[in-house]
Amino acid sequence: MNDRIREILSWYNSENPGIRTNLARMLNHGRLASTGKMVILPVDQGFEHGPARSFAPNPAGYDPRYHFQLAIEAGCNAYAAPLGSLQAGAADFAGDIPLILKCNNHDVLNDEKDPISALTAGVEDALRLGCVAVGFTIYPGSAERTEMYEQLRELTLEAKSVGLATVVWSYPRGSSLSKEGETAIDVVAYAAQIAAQLGADIIKVKLPASKVELPEAQKVYQKYEIPISTLTERVRHVVQSTFNGRRIVIFSGGATAADEQVFNEARAIRDGGGFGSIIGRNSFQRSQEDALKFLGTIMGIYEGSTK
Amino acid sequence: MNDRIREILSWYNSENPGIRTNLARMLNHGRLASTGKMVILPVDQGFEHGPARSFAPNPAGYDPRYHFQLAIEAGCNAYAAPLGSLQAGAADFAGDIPLILKCNNHDVLNDEKDPISALTAGVEDALRLGCVAVGFTIYPGSAERTEMYEQLRELTLEAKSVGLATVVWSYPRGSSLSKEGETAIDVVAYAAQIAAQLGADIIKVKLPASKVELPEAQKVYQKYEIPISTLTERVRHVVQSTFNGRRIVIFSGGATAADEQVFNEARAIRDGGGFGSIIGRNSFQRSQEDALKFLGTIMGIYEGSTK
Amino acid sequence: MNDRIREILSWYNSENPGIRTNLARMLNHGRLASTGKMVILPVDQGFEHGPARSFAPNPAGYDPRYHFQLAIEAGCNAYAAPLGSLQAGAADFAGDIPLILKCNNHDVLNDEKDPISALTAGVEDALRLGCVAVGFTIYPGSAERTEMYEQLRELTLEAKSVGLATVVWSYPRGSSLSKEGETAIDVVAYAAQIAAQLGADIIKVKLPASKVELPEAQKVYQKYEIPISTLTERVRHVVQSTFNGRRIVIFSGGATAADEQVFNEARAIRDGGGFGSIIGRNSFQRSQEDALKFLGTIMGIYEGSTK
Amino acid sequence: MNDRIREILSWYNSENPGIRTNLARMLNHGRLASTGKMVILPVDQGFEHGPARSFAPNPAGYDPRYHFQLAIEAGCNAYAAPLGSLQAGAADFAGDIPLILKCNNHDVLNDEKDPISALTAGVEDALRLGCVAVGFTIYPGSAERTEMYEQLRELTLEAKSVGLATVVWSYPRGSSLSKEGETAIDVVAYAAQIAAQLGADIIKVKLPASKVELPEAQKVYQKYEIPISTLTERVRHVVQSTFNGRRIVIFSGGATAADEQVFNEARAIRDGGGFGSIIGRNSFQRSQEDALKFLGTIMGIYEGSTK
Amino acid sequence: MNDRIREILSWYNSENPGIRTNLARMLNHGRLASTGKMVILPVDQGFEHGPARSFAPNPAGYDPRYHFQLAIEAGCNAYAAPLGSLQAGAADFAGDIPLILKCNNHDVLNDEKDPISALTAGVEDALRLGCVAVGFTIYPGSAERTEMYEQLRELTLEAKSVGLATVVWSYPRGSSLSKEGETAIDVVAYAAQIAAQLGADIIKVKLPASKVELPEAQKVYQKYEIPISTLTERVRHVVQSTFNGRRIVIFSGGATAADEQVFNEARAIRDGGGFGSIIGRNSFQRSQEDALKFLGTIMGIYEGSTK
């Protein structure tokens, strides 16, 4: 194991060797192995948005095994999915790629203003399926956030005790936030901090926009002239807000975007000190051939990282 | 151990030796060791107010280890923080300073009128991390207070059984209180009493103002001419309201204030028989050099205490 | 043990010997030992009304140990208080007086129309502190009463299994009752019946007024000419309503009143077949010397009881 | 409570107030209340030796209630018996005398060389029956002692958690000890020490003889000229061996003996600083009238104690 | 905390911060604080050998509090004792010295050839009493060793989960070993290795003699010319056998010996890289004045350590 991976693992030295082992399994897997960067394939859109919205663009994706194969062939560090999807491939692909079991999920059949995801899996499932981590989504800003934080606290406590890593999707949403506020730089940085405080080992947030949502925060960003005008600067601020870079924080681009935009975002993540990308729809909603090329380009960007 | 510390511990003689040992560990640590006074560094603002509002004034504070170092070098009696922050330093600083695990936390991304904090950690975490105490915030005055008191009761019962001390932040808030009412002398004294009745070993309240909020209380303060015109008198009344001084009650100043004001407040706490200060933003939001000097001055004020 | 105490205990012969032992401990303690009458000192006003309203009239009461001493020196049958107060004296006064742990409490910092008290202690605490009973307040008439009855049912079930007696404060309150209705004779009698039905061993109600609150009840009181014009008659009716006198029911006078009025009330309780008084504010809000004389007079009234 | 009882309770200040309360209940009950001395009536011979050997001398003793009455009328500090006997009277005599539930028992239908008693009751029974303590017999010297010590450790842990005191009968027996060795002074002192180390609150041993059993011990008794020639000296040595007098240790005389001998033994226990007697067969195997006179004489001897 | 202590703690970096905190509490306490050396006072002889053999030479030791005071005044790193002894002083000395609860014990009233100690306390007790570690004795060589190893494994698992350190007394005994074999260098080194393999944090063995007990071992010691002729060499070999010095291993001298011999042994322990001494009888079986001087000399030897 090289020094960079050892350095990253040293940030987790209050955790047991099991957690560090599982973090190492992800960091040392795939094309980006030992770079300290990660590209993770997540596929929970079937649950979150419905099957046709998710898989009609590339019907191969209706088969859960497709996504295992895609992640493996692309050389992703890990593959993340809900219980059903993982169960549909865990046996066939046992040992081929680190798995993250997404333990809560939300559908849009009743899209409330203050959402909360349902607990759909847990630590026993993750162990049974050979996963390296559990995943969990929180919606800071939702009136239901207290319930979610407490569910995450229970999940994390149990996961830590059996040496599983915890990956938290921290997505601000809820009646008290404007739509733009969900990706405002202050809100995204806050969401990353909350996930870190709740004990997350790996944190996933959306790429932040330059807007500042909260008036009290705005005063501070202005007074201290925190640089947030470029995406690279904003990534750097989020990394700083995540224990000054001592927790792995990765970024998602959200909905489908033009390839070049995604590549530029990856460059900004890389240059801002981010640890990588979690890319779902942009990769599995195109043909496998295109997806492999697309993901390859992104990984190439991260390989060029000086750190 | 000197007589003053033995006297303080004697107030807790219904508790097991484990709790008394952990109280002694705090009382006998740092520059104020064996004086019976305490200065505690709490850093939960990253969760409570967001990272930029908390750490932009002194960006070294984005790194959780900075606060361990600050508390250690300043000679604080203890350092208090949420799960994530403690986990980020507990291994590196094992044995260097008594730790208090803040077990519930609240963010301002959805700032409700009747707040309740989320349970974010517990007794297992505190033991695993080598803490001397668990910390918990209640908001007397909130419509959710019953839930909070019951959560605290569960936490305290479990903590007591394993010999951990309990530190309660008792901060009146909620729809039934005016903004000024939150620091009204009658309300603060009431909040301290409630925490003591709930079994807290150490109680933290805000410094009270001379306002009396509740009409029924106002009659009593006037009839019995309870002296509350000076801060020293108000501290004395809060100490009296906390089992006549037989529970450790410490005070926070709240938001950033001029140094001389904080020093005068410390003098009032000392002269009123308070047990010390819990100082967060005023210390970690300045450079380490300034912070050490600032905390040193405050500790010097408490050292000058005749009792 | 004399015949009267044996007779009282015989009413509880479906309960285990532990409960009867703890009832006997109260009935055989203090100046009224073996008379079948009880005077209990309760001090939960610090939590219920705040410290200054409770203790400013006699500042010695800020110290929880004062009330232990008062109850012991006055020769009360038992002392009742919340967790914090009991913990502050249980070790120093171990074995000196039967203790009742008040397991739920309510503050007035957010005084809702339909109150519910918070669970603040439980059976483990009561055993650890050497108590003879747990105490619990219900507010019949509150929209939250179902929750309270169910909490009481859980508490009682657990207490009975370990031989602790259960003392229920049954105080009608809530949005459906008028202020006068809270002490209306039909409502008080009803509240006593509910407590008895919930399995209470000792029931505490307020002294009833002659008003009848509920229209349906009013018809019956008139039709059967139930005598409720004097306090003695109303006490007798409450005693009758509490399993025809086969449960111990004691009365509180509420807020401070003229001494002679309290003495007359005690005479009415005695003459109506009540089992005694629970007297808080009227005793601890005066000097200890006065309180001892005052409680002595009340006990003298009960000693004069022919039964 | 007088100073001597407070002094005794202070030795137990690592225990919770519940245990101290139950110790106080015994120390403050009966004719020897508040002297710091105890006379306890134990009746487990029905189980240990069979009914006829136990009760034929005074057939009234076949009725378990007889022994409650005897202990109550004689003014004993407590009555100790197995589950069946206590259940047969606990309801009738609830609150009349502190009860000790003997939680293990041994019969002589198969009298092995290395005996172990059977667990016949536990903490739930003790609470249900209103007991102040659990009792347990260990046989140091038995090859089965490890099992017994571990059973006692479990019982003690549970008893302590609910505030019950623990009374240990420490009776050396087993294949490695000569018959005389069972009451040898070194062996009895050792047995008392073992019980104290196992966490016993009250320890019962047999009156020691002047014989020294163990060769290694003999060297020490001779070298340091430990005075053991008189019974008073031997009692003093046992008291010293029980945490230098900081645990209550009481003595049994064993089989029926001439009255004057028993009285002289009581004088020796008193003069040697012992805390009292536990007297079974010598009291219940004679008529009640004689027994009351006999126990009265013994209590008179202890009342004459200067300490 | 200095570099040497940090280095020692780094060997335990698979353990949680709680264990490291408790190790640091011992390493940083008393006169040898921060030297990386330890002198521990253990007093379990009252249980292991009986009271007179243990305390007659210095009768002050009959009082358990004497040993707390001795350990505190001498500046020991920790005090180790069985449940009863610790309970007799834990409240009075709360916070004064790190405590190790000896969780199993053995008496000599039935001295079997293949001994096993009884479980006499556990993790709940250790937490309740404020201890930093649990202690446990194994007898490698006993036919009962498997049972002991499994009991230790259970204890260690539970202790680790709550952050308590584990101290193992590894004393070869049993029917398969000659008396001299119990301290043979190969056997002692083997016993230290077994304790380390069972997860012990601190290991206590007897000082080894130059004899090699096991024929298969003898071949190896000769073939590789392992230097074991001097005590320093043998200590070095034991340290090597305990994970090459990466576990704290301390030594006991056993029965009373001439002072100069003990001092020479301490020098050999120091020079061989041992971590210190655990000295019971040689310290508490002389007057306190002598004991303080004696322990002071030993600590002085360790202070002179270059490492």
mmCIF file of all heavy atoms in Angstrom, chain A residues 7 10 21 70 72 86 94 105 124 152 155 164 183 225:
data_model
loop_
_atom_site.group_PDB
_atom_site.id
_atom_site.type_symbol
_atom_site.label_atom_id
_atom_site.label_comp_id
_atom_site.label_asym_id
_atom_site.label_seq_id
_atom_site.Cartn_x
_atom_site.Cartn_y
_atom_site.Cartn_z
ATOM 1 N N GLU A 7 -1.818 7.494 4.361
ATOM 2 C CA GLU A 7 -2.152 8.801 4.939
ATOM 3 C C GLU A 7 -3.671 8.927 5.115
ATOM 4 O O GLU A 7 -4.151 9.362 6.156
ATOM 5 C CB GLU A 7 -1.639 9.924 4.032
ATOM 6 C CG GLU A 7 -1.915 11.310 4.601
ATOM 7 C CD GLU A 7 -1.599 12.428 3.610
ATOM 8 O OE1 GLU A 7 -1.352 12.126 2.419
ATOM 9 O OE2 GLU A 7 -1.614 13.594 4.027
ATOM 10 N N SER A 10 -4.911 6.921 7.923
ATOM 11 C CA SER A 10 -4.525 7.446 9.249
ATOM 12 C C SER A 10 -5.574 8.413 9.796
ATOM 13 O O SER A 10 -5.664 8.614 10.998
ATOM 14 C CB SER A 10 -3.156 8.140 9.164
ATOM 15 O OG SER A 10 -3.294 9.425 8.560
ATOM 16 N N THR A 21 -9.801 -1.533 6.865
ATOM 17 C CA THR A 21 -9.640 -2.560 5.832
ATOM 18 C C THR A 21 -10.648 -2.350 4.709
ATOM 19 O O THR A 21 -10.313 -2.422 3.512
ATOM 20 C CB THR A 21 -9.830 -3.954 6.458
ATOM 21 O OG1 THR A 21 -8.801 -4.159 7.431
ATOM 22 C CG2 THR A 21 -9.744 -5.050 5.402
ATOM 23 N N LEU A 70 -20.871 -3.202 -15.587
ATOM 24 C CA LEU A 70 -20.395 -1.883 -15.989
ATOM 25 C C LEU A 70 -19.339 -1.364 -15.015
ATOM 26 O O LEU A 70 -18.259 -0.898 -15.409
ATOM 27 C CB LEU A 70 -21.581 -0.916 -16.063
ATOM 28 C CG LEU A 70 -21.233 0.543 -16.376
ATOM 29 C CD1 LEU A 70 -20.485 0.658 -17.699
ATOM 30 C CD2 LEU A 70 -22.506 1.401 -16.392
ATOM 31 N N ILE A 72 -17.526 -3.030 -12.948
ATOM 32 C CA ILE A 72 -16.312 -3.864 -12.972
ATOM 33 C C ILE A 72 -15.463 -3.542 -14.193
ATOM 34 O O ILE A 72 -14.259 -3.302 -14.100
ATOM 35 C CB ILE A 72 -16.698 -5.358 -12.959
ATOM 36 C CG1 ILE A 72 -17.324 -5.728 -11.609
ATOM 37 C CG2 ILE A 72 -15.486 -6.234 -13.252
ATOM 38 C CD1 ILE A 72 -18.101 -7.034 -11.631
ATOM 39 N N LEU A 86 -28.581 -5.351 -5.288
ATOM 40 C CA LEU A 86 -27.360 -6.054 -4.862
ATOM 41 C C LEU A 86 -27.602 -7.548 -4.763
ATOM 42 O O LEU A 86 -26.772 -8.356 -5.183
ATOM 43 C CB LEU A 86 -26.846 -5.508 -3.525
ATOM 44 C CG LEU A 86 -26.088 -4.180 -3.556
ATOM 45 C CD1 LEU A 86 -25.268 -4.018 -2.282
ATOM 46 C CD2 LEU A 86 -25.163 -4.071 -4.764
ATOM 47 N N ALA A 94 -19.487 -12.144 -6.785
ATOM 48 C CA ALA A 94 -18.816 -12.144 -5.483
ATOM 49 C C ALA A 94 -17.312 -11.976 -5.643
ATOM 50 O O ALA A 94 -16.665 -12.735 -6.367
ATOM 51 C CB ALA A 94 -19.130 -13.438 -4.733
ATOM 52 N N ASN A 105 -34.083 4.369 1.147
ATOM 53 C CA ASN A 105 -34.487 4.776 -0.195
ATOM 54 C C ASN A 105 -35.798 5.524 -0.154
ATOM 55 O O ASN A 105 -36.594 5.366 0.763
ATOM 56 C CB ASN A 105 -34.619 3.537 -1.106
ATOM 57 C CG ASN A 105 -33.254 3.024 -1.551
ATOM 58 O OD1 ASN A 105 -32.717 2.066 -0.982
ATOM 59 N ND2 ASN A 105 -32.664 3.700 -2.521
ATOM 60 N N GLU A 124 -27.020 -6.384 8.741
ATOM 61 C CA GLU A 124 -27.021 -7.841 8.513
ATOM 62 C C GLU A 124 -26.985 -8.145 7.021
ATOM 63 O O GLU A 124 -26.297 -9.063 6.575
ATOM 64 C CB GLU A 124 -28.278 -8.505 9.086
ATOM 65 C CG GLU A 124 -28.407 -8.454 10.579
ATOM 66 C CD GLU A 124 -29.358 -7.374 11.010
ATOM 67 O OE1 GLU A 124 -29.314 -6.283 10.397
ATOM 68 O OE2 GLU A 124 -30.141 -7.606 11.940
ATOM 69 N N LEU A 152 -29.497 7.234 11.102
ATOM 70 C CA LEU A 152 -28.110 7.096 10.656
ATOM 71 C C LEU A 152 -27.197 6.777 11.822
ATOM 72 O O LEU A 152 -26.299 5.938 11.728
ATOM 73 C CB LEU A 152 -27.646 8.386 9.960
ATOM 74 C CG LEU A 152 -26.162 8.427 9.554
ATOM 75 C CD1 LEU A 152 -25.777 7.243 8.682
ATOM 76 C CD2 LEU A 152 -25.847 9.736 8.850
ATOM 77 N N LEU A 155 -27.505 3.176 12.560
ATOM 78 C CA LEU A 155 -26.857 2.387 11.507
ATOM 79 C C LEU A 155 -25.336 2.448 11.635
ATOM 80 O O LEU A 155 -24.636 1.430 11.528
ATOM 81 C CB LEU A 155 -27.283 2.917 10.134
ATOM 82 C CG LEU A 155 -26.708 2.159 8.931
ATOM 83 C CD1 LEU A 155 -27.370 0.796 8.798
ATOM 84 C CD2 LEU A 155 -26.896 2.962 7.645
ATOM 85 N N LEU A 164 -17.758 -2.311 9.156
ATOM 86 C CA LEU A 164 -18.204 -1.785 7.863
ATOM 87 C C LEU A 164 -18.017 -0.277 7.814
ATOM 88 O O LEU A 164 -18.253 0.426 8.795
ATOM 89 C CB LEU A 164 -19.686 -2.102 7.637
ATOM 90 C CG LEU A 164 -20.047 -3.555 7.375
ATOM 91 C CD1 LEU A 164 -21.567 -3.713 7.314
ATOM 92 C CD2 LEU A 164 -19.427 -4.048 6.059
ATOM 93 N N THR A 183 -28.338 23.465 -3.572
ATOM 94 C CA THR A 183 -26.941 23.342 -4.001
ATOM 95 C C THR A 183 -26.142 24.617 -3.716
ATOM 96 O O THR A 183 -25.050 24.797 -4.235
ATOM 97 C CB THR A 183 -26.852 23.029 -5.508
ATOM 98 O OG1 THR A 183 -27.652 23.989 -6.210
ATOM 99 C CG2 THR A 183 -27.348 21.626 -5.800
ATOM 100 N N GLU A 225 -14.295 36.927 2.934
ATOM 101 C CA GLU A 225 -13.963 36.816 1.510
ATOM 102 C C GLU A 225 -13.585 35.392 1.129
ATOM 103 O O GLU A 225 -12.554 35.124 0.508
ATOM 104 C CB GLU A 225 -12.832 37.796 1.156
ATOM 105 C CG GLU A 225 -13.264 39.242 1.367
ATOM 106 C CD GLU A 225 -12.130 40.233 1.078
ATOM 107 O OE1 GLU A 225 -10.982 39.765 0.950
ATOM 108 O OE2 GLU A 225 -12.415 41.439 0.978
#
